Amino acid sequence: MDPKIGWYMPEQLGPAKDLWDRIWGSEKTDPSGSPMNGVADIGDNGNNMPAHQRREPNRARTYKVDSGSVNLNFTGGCPWMVPGKTYSRGIVGLHEEIEDFFNYMSPTFEEHSVRLLVFERIKSCIQNLWPDAHVEIFGSFRTGLYLPTSDIDIVVIGKWENLPLRTLEKALLKNDIVEMGSMKVLDKAVVPIIKLTDKRSDVKVDISFNMKDGVRSAELVKKFRSYFPALPKLVFVLKQFLLQRDLNEVFTGGVSSYSLILMTISFLQLHPRVNAGSPAANLGVLLIEFFELYGRHFNYMNTAIRVKDGGSYIAKSELMNDMLEGFRPSLLCIEDPLTPGNDIGRGSYGAINVKDAFEFAYIIMVQAVNSTNQVQNDPNTNR
């Protein structure tokens, strides 16, 4: 484990740790600067891969932090923890920390305003091209469940024989909204989109065409958010958890934000405690139970998730009856609550990695909140 990202207990500090720091630093690279084991560093975001397979740098990633980065061992690595606040021990302390994490990660008025300005600039550019086009926000920005690193999802609704992705690409460059080379047109994807980074704010934006279900899905999530007050707080933690492990993008095998939200909604709908989603629920207990369900107990091979009609688990064979010919349920099978026969999780080809991450998190967190573990049980230690 990279010593720069570990949370060390006081008894672990000393000459042995200092020696391991030096060994890690000397053996991480050879004199040419290449990884010693001949394998691309998992933290290099694929810079050694072919250009078409490279991934954007993940600014939220904490695995193998660069040597020039802040040493989390001395900052505590938890900027959301309120200075001077004494947290309770065990599971109650975890609940308090999740509350503070949610408050810390929630967008400020200024952050929200910047994103609205980005949307308005792009909307103006689009409507100058096509005055009759309807431009809408959907996804996490519309539901309010977005992290500081999340992108803005925009859908353009209009009538075209062929989707005008290249026309819009040229207009965005001409209006100085993006810089040359910072935009990708994915015209061969199942859902063709334009991915760009706003030149002024560095906010990422995805633009799609005629995807009306995106707006309806966002409104559905907002409705569930009103039913389950615990939903946004759990989703914030889970989204950050997957983001830091590069498991938050479907095209790289991870789980989409919408899939994760539906998994969380199903978890709360079918929870044996009727008040699980209420404001009084212990968020630490719910988080560990979520990891336990989807990391250990959920039957990925035979079971699909359904959130409509109060929520239920259904056999994949039942869902397959509504699917188009040639389609089969995926490993992480989530029924689309708006489109019968559509599997929301079908693109998550690496769902087993998400399952493994949830299981590992469950093991670690159960140990951390164990009342007999006097050091790990105290969130105030070594902050």
Side-chain angles (χ1 to χ4, degrees), residues 130 155-157 160 163-165 168 192 194 207-211:
W130 307 290
V155 61
V156 186
I157 300 172
W160 300 277
L163 295 182
L165 281 80
L168 181 55
I194 297 176
I207 304 176
S208 58
F209 288 82
N210 291 338
M211 297 298 295

Side-chain angles (χ1 to χ4, degrees), residues 195-206:
K195 299 180 75 70
L196 63 94
T197 302
D198 178 64
K199 184 176 179 178
R200 297 186 195 176
S201 64
D202 205 30
V203 171
K204 297 185 182 300
V205 181
D206 287 354

Side-chain angles (χ1 to χ4, degrees), residues 49 53 55 246-256 259 300 329-333 343-356:
M49 300 170 64
Q53 294 181 1
R55 304 166 72 171
D246 284 334
L247 294 172
N248 65 311
E249 294 282 2
V250 172
F251 69 88
T252 57
V255 174
S256 70
S259 293
Y300 288 89
S330 60
L331 181 64
L332 175 59
C333 185
D343 179 6
I344 297 294
R346 69 182 183 275
S348 300
Y349 59 86
I352 193 67
N353 297 323
V354 177
K355 180 262 182 195
D356 290 344

Side-chain angles (χ1 to χ4, degrees), residues 24 27 29 74 167 195 235 239 263 267 284 286 314 350 355:
W24 181 274
E27 292 190 353
T29 58
F74 296 101
T167 303
K195 299 180 75 70
V235 167
K239 288 181 73 170
M263 291 170 71
F267 164 73
L286 290 176
I314 60 173
K355 180 262 182 195

Side-chain angles (χ1 to χ4, degrees), residues 89-221:
R89 286 179 176 269
I91 199 71
V92 176
L94 178 59
H95 166 83
E96 295 168 352
E97 192 173 341
I98 292 173
E99 290 276 13
D100 289 340
F101 177 84
F102 176 75
N103 293 331
Y104 178 82
M105 296 296 282
S106 295
T108 63
F109 173 78
E110 291 77 13
E111 290 170 334
H112 191 75
S113 298
V114 166
R115 288 171 176 262
L116 285 176
L117 289 173
V118 172
F119 170 68
E120 290 299 331
R121 286 200 300 272
I122 294 175
K123 180 180 179 180
S124 176
C125 175
I126 293 171
Q127 292 190 326
N128 285 337
L129 280 174
W130 307 290
D132 294 332
H134 191 53
V135 185
E136 287 272 11
I137 297 171
F138 68 103
S140 60
F141 187 55
R142 190 181 186 105
T143 62
L145 299 176
Y146 66 94
L147 299 177
T149 53
S150 297
D151 54 22
I152 302 174
D153 296 301
I154 296 175
V155 61
V156 186
I157 300 172
K159 295 181 179 179
W160 300 277
E161 290 187 8
N162 298 304
L163 295 182
L165 281 80
R166 297 296 176 182
T167 303
L168 181 55
E169 177 190 25
K170 294 176 182 177
L172 292 169
L173 287 168
K174 182 179 178 180
N175 285 271
D176 202 31
I177 293 174
V178 297
E179 291 183 346
M180 183 71 71
S182 68
M183 181 163 43
K184 295 179 182 178
V185 179
L186 306 180
D187 52 355
K188 304 299 183 185
V190 177
V191 179
I193 61 172
I194 297 176
K195 299 180 75 70
L196 63 94
T197 302
D198 178 64
K199 184 176 179 178
R200 297 186 195 176
S201 64
D202 205 30
V203 171
K204 297 185 182 300
V205 181
D206 287 354
I207 304 176
S208 58
F209 288 82
N210 291 338
M211 297 298 295
K212 298 179 181 179
D213 280 352
V215 177
R216 294 171 59 209
S217 298
E219 292 303 312
L220 179 67
V221 170

